[in-house]
Amino acid sequence: GNKTVSSGERRGALPCARAAPCAATSHQLRLLGLNISYYSPRQLGSLEMKLLTHNMLTSPGQRNGFPLAIEVEKMEVVDADFNADFVARMVEKLEYPALVATVAALPAEVESKLPAEVPTEFAENEEFLRALHHVLLEVDILEGQLVCPETGKKFPIKEGIPSML
């Protein structure tokens, strides 16, 4: 089931969002060399803004605009079908330290069992892949702001859609 969390339950501030079927998300996945047509929306969670997408975002026009911080006002934890192959392929495409820092700053309700570093044999480590799947594909930020680490500029997240303008 889905679980919604309000800003009063947050333990930190860093970035993410969810978007209605987001062309940017599917485009970004294609740029990463992933043919998402092999996966149902249920397997991907949905093509909404998730921590997977957040991990690829930078503040427009800034040299040091990554990672964006997330200020959560409302979030939801949803169920998404697990696909070990998909998650394993994502590992080498992620900025893993930034992901770990982002997750640490999210509300306490986002349970994370991610280790500080990617395990050596990660592709065969189902416990690790399931933990990574959870944070990448099952956490939706519905309302809040993304914050540029260089300038402090805030980009609103409304109804799960970040505005990077």
Side-chain angles (χ1 to χ4, degrees), residues 36-89:
I36 62 168
S37 64
Y38 292 115
Y39 305 96
S40 70
R42 178 92 175 123
Q43 287 174 311
L44 290 174
S46 58
L47 291 179
E48 298 174 338
M49 174 116 173
K50 303 196 176 286
L51 293 180
L52 172 62
T53 303
H54 164 262
N55 194 259
M56 300 173 206
L57 290 176
T58 62
S59 184
Q62 300 304 312
R63 179 172 268 188
N64 299 309
F66 179 88
L68 295 164
I70 300 175
E71 294 178 352
V72 178
E73 294 171 14
K74 183 178 179 185
M75 64 173 269
E76 189 172 63
V77 177
V78 299
D79 292 327
D81 290 343
F82 176 67
N83 182 318
D85 293 334
F86 175 80
V87 177
R89 282 197 306 273

Side-chain angles (χ1 to χ4, degrees), residues 6-8 18 25 30 35 53 61 84 87 89 95 101 121 133 153 156-157:
S6 71
S7 62
R18 150 191 178 253
T25 303
R30 283 189 201 99
N35 183 348
T53 303
V87 177
R89 282 197 306 273
E95 292 289 340
E121 303 290 326
H133 160 84
K153 180 176 179 176
I157 303 165

Side-chain angles (χ1 to χ4, degrees), residues 2-142:
N2 297 352
K3 181 177 182 181
T4 302
V5 178
S6 71
S7 62
E9 302 171 85
R10 100 175 85 150
R11 76 174 163 197
L14 265 155
C16 169
R18 150 191 178 253
C22 178
T25 303
S26 59
H27 176 71
Q28 287 171 338
L29 292 173
R30 283 189 201 99
L31 288 175
L32 291 169
L34 299 172
N35 183 348
I36 62 168
S37 64
Y38 292 115
Y39 305 96
S40 70
R42 178 92 175 123
Q43 287 174 311
L44 290 174
S46 58
L47 291 179
E48 298 174 338
M49 174 116 173
K50 303 196 176 286
L51 293 180
L52 172 62
T53 303
H54 164 262
N55 194 259
M56 300 173 206
L57 290 176
T58 62
S59 184
Q62 300 304 312
R63 179 172 268 188
N64 299 309
F66 179 88
L68 295 164
I70 300 175
E71 294 178 352
V72 178
E73 294 171 14
K74 183 178 179 185
M75 64 173 269
E76 189 172 63
V77 177
V78 299
D79 292 327
D81 290 343
F82 176 67
N83 182 318
D85 293 334
F86 175 80
V87 177
R89 282 197 306 273
M90 291 309 305
V91 170
E92 294 179 8
K93 300 174 187 327
L94 293 171
E95 292 289 340
Y96 190 78
L99 177 66
V100 171
T102 297
V103 171
L106 290 176
E109 287 71 21
V110 176
E111 292 183 36
S112 173
K113 298 176 183 168
L114 290 179
E117 296 181 6
V118 175
T120 310
E121 303 290 326
F122 67 86
E124 291 81 39
N125 185 334
E126 186 172 336
E127 182 180 353
F128 168 73
L129 293 175
R130 284 189 179 277
L132 186 59
H133 160 84
H134 173 69
V135 299
L136 290 178
L137 299 171
E138 295 184 333
V139 176
D140 291 342
I141 307 302
L142 304 174

